[in-house]
Amino acid sequence: DLIEWQMQDYELEPFAQSVLTAKCWYKGKDYNIVREALREMIKSIKQGTMSISEALEFYGKKIALTL
């Protein structure tokens, strides 16, 4: 079982434990916009068109508009 395996890993254990009790963090009106914003954010960071902090600020504001 993947979760059991991750529970044995010191670095992964906190994440494996939380996956069993995690709830959706998004309480806004349009999750599709949020999903696309997260994709765009990752892409812009990977391509180097935005720094991590720029992308977090820009896409964070975009996501906030859906709340």
Side-chain angles (χ1 to χ4, degrees), residues 21-65:
T21 59
K23 294 183 180 179
C24 179
W25 58 270
Y26 180 68
K27 304 291 185 202
K29 299 174 187 141
D30 194 340
Y31 185 71
N32 290 326
I33 290 174
V34 173
R35 185 180 357 192
E36 185 59 30
L38 292 172
R39 279 192 197 122
E40 290 173 13
M41 180 178 66
I42 293 167
K43 184 177 176 182
S44 66
I45 293 169
K46 285 178 71 176
Q47 292 177 341
T49 57
M50 288 185 171
S51 69
I52 293 172
S53 60
E54 290 171 333
L56 287 171
E57 183 176 345
F58 179 80
Y59 290 104
K61 289 178 181 177
K62 191 171 184 175
I63 290 169
L65 292 174

